[in-house]
Amino acid sequence: MFWNMDYDPKLVSARQKDMFEDILEDRRHSSDLRYSLKTRDVTMFKLNKPRAPMQIKEHVMKSDRVNFAIDQTCMDTKLPREEVVAEALSILDEMAHNLRTGAVRGFAFFLIKVMKSLYRRIYVNVDGIQKIRGLIKEYPILLMPSHRSYMDFLLMSYVFYNYDLPLPVIAAAMDFMGMKFFGWLLRNSGAFYIRRSFGDDHLYWAIFTEYVQCQICNGDNPIEFYVEGTRSRTAKSYTPKFGMLSAALEPYFKSHIPDIMVVPVSISYDRILEESLYAYELLGVPKPKESTSGLLKARKILEEDFGNIHIFFGQPISIRKYSEGFVDRSLHNLAPRYIASLTNQEQDLIKKLGHHMVLTQQKHMVVSPWSLMASVLMQSQGGVSLRQLAKEVEWVKRQASNLGAYCDWPASESAESVLRANLKLHQNIVRVSQEDVVELVRVAPPVHAKATDALMITAGQHLMLSLYRNHILHVFVRPAMIAISVNTCNEERLSIDDLFTKYTFLEKLLCKDFVFIPENTKADFDLALLTLTHTCGVVMEDNQVIIAKSTNKHTTFYSHLFEPFLLGYWILCQYLLSNHPNVAGKPLAKTQKNLVKEAQMLTARLLQEGVVKHYEMLSLDMMSNGLHALFAMGGVSKERRDGVVYMYPNTRQLSTITDQLAKFVDVPPLPSVSINLHSKMITVNAKL
């Protein structure tokens, strides 16, 4: 819809706000065509030798790296060289972008109309843009945005077009390539398509690496990719992936270039375009295949209001300074530069940088009032009065601000007016009754979610709401792990050593759902404890926590925030322990997909019987993360058969983990359970 800026001027944030400016305002009062055809004075990297996309491809095919990989493939497969070269060309044609000014201008015209229809304002921190403008002439630039929506890469291109910066080329998933016209348009606007995994395909890896690195070394365009690897369906950050990051930084480690600048970017949405799709995808409904027809059918969303977007460009990081004293680039001097080999120190640095990027993205996320409201509503399933909601949300806002979060809260407005504005924005999820009680509304499942039962529809409602609650969980997770230990302690006092042991256990358990820097556990613990003692009423005497004096609203709220994760993991553990052994007396090994699906089925039955109440525990993402955490803790083992990975419980270790976990959350009594996946029936051997 075209957002009428006169709708309620008091509740619409100003064009200039703190460090942000709205880049949509001018577009509402000028010609879109003139904007898309404007003269762009673009600063380029000083060592750049201008070349067309075809010349980049020619460089890749002539490179030592790719020719070495072609020779190796010929030796391994016994295929003639011409055939392998043809395969290499096919891979490169499939991958490469075809960035063209004409297509970019057409895309800009289309994009600005979409942005004005969907969003009220798009805020950008101008200081971050000016820093990039100052660096782009001197250094190759890597852009690493957070990834919560398909809109992310469109927004990044739009921002760079708006500020007359060179358009980034974007690592995009193959899903988009098959979309008629739209896939072509993206490729001609700078998207290059890569497979989600390369496996042992050394030829593909060589072509991909050379393609990325030659553009970095020549500074053709900033390169944009997502360190999380894929869109987050949960609105929580994913743990970083290192393949693309390794390929991008290798030219620096091998002294091809003197430095690279890495820019973290945080993109925060008032309302996520794919909220309903994500909720049902987490429940196991396959996402619809990307297609142009699907895109056209989705045009009705242009009539909806998706609020504001905040885009924060963080402090650029010099890889030369970041790695100073940690890596020795001279170690590569004797090896051919096209042989992919990074030292252990370089690999460790890449892992550290990947985690640093994700945590920096989190730090600069903007917290909307709706995220604060969702954190309260998730704990008030029966509904809550508007007055009580306002009181609780203001309290949560203070806690989030104390922990360093930037809350987008209009300073001049009453809490009730802010809440009503956000309830209107999210009226597809919640409503206010005549008695002024805020309650969930029935959310119609997506068209492609066929034969969805009442339980799954209810779960879809809760998972949509949880997306927005999840947006702020990173703010609270470290203090919460201490709060949980305090809230569930049965002793009068808890020593710091015992508290740290409990904290460490919870971090290991939650490490796939939340991002922690490896080997930074003690520093995180000390800071979280300091925060709780200074601002949350936790009382310390003689290096011990006084439990009775420390258990309060803070510790209880933080504990409740993370209860669904702990209880979900516990049900997963109980399911794994209930698996019947095979004929040899060993636990039965199953694929991860089957284990996660069967654990979800058990959770569904427990919800139906009223044994548990958190519908978000039906999330396959939560179950999958729990399974991976249990594997890392030794509670589950893997084995490979015919190329397929199977998992099975290590009963003794898993029992220990389950017993420890039960000390942190109120767990219900469970009967013995058997599950038949094929009939989708759960047989419970005792009345729940």
Side-chain angles (χ1 to χ4, degrees):
M1 64 183 259
F2 180 89
W3 179 255
N4 180 1
M5 298 311 289
D6 297 325
Y7 167 73
D8 188 345
K10 293 197 302 178
L11 293 176
V12 177
S13 301
R15 177 178 176 178
Q16 302 286 339
K17 180 178 64 177
D18 294 341
M19 74 290 282
F20 294 101
E21 78 168 7
D22 172 28
I23 60 174
L24 275 188
E25 178 70 13
D26 287 345
R27 303 283 66 77
R28 297 193 189 280
H29 307 292
S30 59
S31 163
D32 294 340
L33 182 61
R34 189 179 300 120
Y35 176 75
S36 63
L37 296 176
K38 70 174 183 170
T39 301
R40 300 182 73 240
D41 182 16
V42 177
T43 303
M44 297 300 293
F45 178 49
K46 63 184 178 182
L47 300 180
N48 173 254
K49 296 176 182 176
R51 54 185 182 173
M54 184 57 70
Q55 291 173 299
I56 298 174
K57 290 162 72 172
E58 288 171 0
H59 171 95
V60 172
M61 288 304 297
K62 291 176 181 176
S63 67
D64 291 339
R65 185 194 304 271
V66 171
N67 278 282
F68 177 75
I70 288 172
D71 292 340
Q72 288 294 114
T73 304
C74 289
M75 290 172 59
D76 294 342
T77 63
K78 311 301 183 190
L79 292 171
R81 199 173 199 280
E82 311 84 71
E83 200 170 315
V84 178
V85 168
E87 183 187 350
L89 281 167
S90 174
I91 290 171
L92 189 56
D93 286 340
E94 175 188 75
M95 181 185 300
H97 70 75
N98 188 33
L99 185 59
R100 294 169 52 220
T101 304
V104 167
R105 293 191 182 281
F107 200 34
F109 180 75
F110 156 77
L111 205 54
I112 191 62
K113 290 192 176 297
V114 170
M115 296 298 178
K116 287 193 296 185
S117 293
L118 290 174
Y119 301 108
R120 303 177 189 180
R121 297 186 184 272
I122 297 176
Y123 285 110
V124 178
N125 66 322
V126 186
D127 178 58
I129 290 292
Q130 297 307 338
K131 285 177 182 174
I132 293 174
R133 194 187 303 281
L135 293 170
I136 216 154
K137 186 176 180 181
E138 301 295 324
Y139 305 97
I141 301 287
L142 297 182
L143 299 167
M144 291 193 206
S146 56
H147 200 16
R148 307 281 167 89
S149 171
Y150 278 144
M151 295 302 297
D152 295 332
F153 64 85
L154 302 179
L155 284 164
M156 291 290 290
S157 296
Y158 172 55
V159 169
F160 272 58
Y161 184 88
N162 184 76
Y163 286 106
D164 290 340
L165 293 168
L167 290 185
V169 294
I170 307 151
M174 299 292 289
D175 310 13
F176 295 104
M177 193 181 75
M179 297 175 67
K180 294 177 182 176
F181 176 69
F182 195 67
W184 172 88
L185 186 59
L186 289 177
R187 189 190 292 277
N188 282 269
S189 301
F192 63 96
Y193 296 110
I194 56 175
R195 299 173 189 169
R196 291 204 180 273
S197 62
F198 308 164
D200 296 326
D201 192 335
H202 300 296
L203 181 61
Y204 191 95
W205 179 260
I207 293 167
F208 158 75
T209 304
E210 188 64 34
Y211 185 72
V212 169
Q213 291 184 5
C214 79
Q215 293 183 81
I216 291 172
C217 293
N218 192 53
D220 293 302
N221 294 82
I223 290 188
E224 175 188 335
F225 65 93
Y226 304 105
V227 71
E228 297 167 272
T230 187
R231 278 180 307 155
S232 170
R233 271 67 168 173
T234 61
K236 292 189 284 88
S237 296
Y238 287 163
T239 51
K241 305 293 186 290
F242 307 112
M244 182 80 181
L245 191 55
S246 298
L249 297 187
E250 188 183 74
Y252 170 75
F253 293 135
K254 294 194 172 180
S255 303
H256 296 196
I257 46 177
D259 203 356
I260 299 174
M261 284 290 171
V262 183
V263 183
V265 186
S266 307
I267 306 177
S268 309
Y269 296 90
D270 280 2
R271 185 179 166 202
I272 299 169
L273 208 62
E274 305 97 326
E275 57 186 4
S276 177
L277 291 177
Y278 285 170
Y280 282 92
E281 196 175 332
L282 291 171
L283 291 171
V285 177
K287 69 172 183 176
K289 189 177 184 297
E290 284 80 4
S291 66
T292 303
S293 62
L295 189 68
L296 294 173
K297 288 175 185 174
R299 282 178 302 174
K300 64 180 181 180
I301 66 168
L302 295 175
E303 300 169 7
E304 296 188 40
D305 174 16
F306 287 86
N308 298 332
I309 301 174
H310 291 79
I311 306 173
F312 188 97
F313 290 85
Q315 181 67 33
I317 294 173
S318 158
I319 294 302
R320 181 178 62 80
K321 291 180 181 177
Y322 190 83
S323 62
E324 210 165 29
F326 293 100
V327 300
D328 181 2
R329 297 201 292 169
S330 67
L331 294 175
H332 294 289
N333 288 350
L334 299 178
R337 290 184 173 183
Y338 56 83
I339 301 294
S341 59
L342 296 177
T343 65
N344 290 336
Q345 289 83 2
E346 288 161 353
Q347 291 176 31
D348 289 343
L349 187 89
I350 286 167
K351 290 176 182 176
K352 179 184 172 187
L353 178 64
H355 283 86
H356 179 76
M357 284 291 108
V358 174
L359 293 180
T360 303
Q361 291 168 357
Q362 289 182 341
K363 178 182 177 183
H364 296 300
M365 286 289 183
V366 172
V367 176
S368 70
W370 178 244
S371 288
L372 302 170
M373 293 163 68
S375 70
V376 176
L377 291 170
M378 286 296 292
Q379 297 184 27
S380 314
Q381 291 189 12
V384 59
S385 72
L386 189 63
R387 178 179 292 182
Q388 183 64 21
L389 180 61
K391 180 181 175 183
E392 296 299 331
V393 166
E394 285 204 281
W395 182 86
V396 176
K397 176 169 71 77
R398 287 196 298 274
Q399 310 319 311
S401 298
N402 288 341
L403 290 166
Y406 176 90
C407 297
D408 180 34
W409 191 278
S412 59
E413 295 306 310
S414 70
E416 183 175 331
S417 63
V418 172
L419 261 59
R420 285 194 183 276
N422 278 271
L423 289 166
K424 182 175 178 61
L425 180 63
H426 297 276
Q427 58 189 324
N428 60 319
I429 302 177
V430 290
R431 69 183 182 94
V432 183
S433 71
Q434 291 182 340
E435 294 77 27
D436 258 4
V437 173
V438 180
E439 53 195 17
L440 289 179
V441 300
R442 181 184 173 90
V443 179
V447 177
H448 69 284
K450 298 172 182 174
T452 303
D453 61 24
L455 177 68
M456 285 300 179
I457 290 174
T458 302
Q461 296 172 309
H462 286 260
L463 279 166
M464 279 176 66
L465 188 59
S466 76
L467 292 177
Y468 299 97
R469 186 275 323 268
N470 289 349
H471 184 70
I472 62 167
L473 287 184
H474 67 274
V475 175
F476 298 115
V477 65
R478 290 164 183 80
M481 290 192 294
I482 294 177
I484 291 165
S485 301
V486 170
N487 243 40
T488 54
C489 180
N490 295 322
E491 307 295 327
E492 293 182 359
R493 292 169 174 257
L494 182 61
S495 72
I496 285 190
D497 288 344
D498 287 345
L499 184 59
F500 181 63
T501 300
K502 291 172 180 284
Y503 180 96
T504 303
F505 171 80
L506 288 173
E507 184 180 293
K508 289 177 181 176
L509 195 66
L510 292 165
C511 72
K512 303 302 179 183
D513 259 310
F514 301 94
V515 180
F516 305 103
I517 295 182
E519 301 171 4
N520 212 40
T521 304
K522 186 63 168 69
D524 285 349
F525 170 79
D526 289 341
L527 182 58
L529 184 58
L530 193 66
T531 300
L532 287 170
T533 53
H534 278 66
T535 64
C536 301
V538 170
V539 179
M540 300 283 299
E541 289 179 8
D542 301 325
N543 278 340
Q544 293 180 318
V545 178
I546 310 303
I547 298 301
K549 293 181 179 179
S550 300
T551 306
N552 55 37
K553 181 173 182 175
H554 295 87
T555 59
T556 301
F557 177 77
Y558 293 166
S559 298
H560 286 168
L561 271 181
F562 294 89
E563 181 179 276
F565 296 92
L566 300 183
L567 194 53
Y569 295 165
W570 182 80
I571 292 173
L572 173 64
C573 291
Q574 291 292 345
Y575 158 69
L576 291 169
L577 290 171
S578 74
N579 268 335
H580 295 301
N582 62 17
V583 289
K586 291 175 60 179
L588 190 63
K590 298 180 181 180
T591 63
Q592 176 190 325
K593 183 177 180 180
N594 280 3
L595 288 173
V596 166
K597 189 65 181 174
E598 291 180 9
Q600 184 196 49
M601 290 165 61
L602 170 58
T603 308
R605 177 61 187 268
L606 297 175
L607 282 162
Q608 287 171 330
E609 296 287 347
V611 177
V612 293
K613 61 180 181 179
H614 301 294
Y615 287 91
E616 65 183 293
M617 294 189 305
L618 288 171
S619 165
L620 295 178
D621 185 80
M622 182 189 292
M623 290 295 175
S624 178
N625 288 336
L627 197 59
H628 285 296
L630 292 174
F631 169 72
M633 296 171 77
V636 175
S637 291
K638 292 181 182 179
E639 62 181 40
R640 185 177 289 272
R641 302 180 203 157
D642 300 325
V644 179
V645 175
Y646 289 82
M647 305 180 84
Y648 60 91
N650 296 324
T651 306
R652 181 175 297 179
Q653 178 65 10
L654 184 58
S655 296
T656 302
I657 293 170
T658 307
D659 291 343
Q660 284 182 274
L661 175 52
K663 295 175 183 176
F664 293 100
V665 64
D666 288 332
V667 298
L670 286 186
S672 59
V673 175
S674 62
I675 298 175
N676 183 330
L677 184 65
H678 301 291
S679 65
K680 297 187 178 179
M681 292 293 293
I682 301 171
T683 304
V684 182
N685 297 333
K687 177 65 179 172
L688 289 172

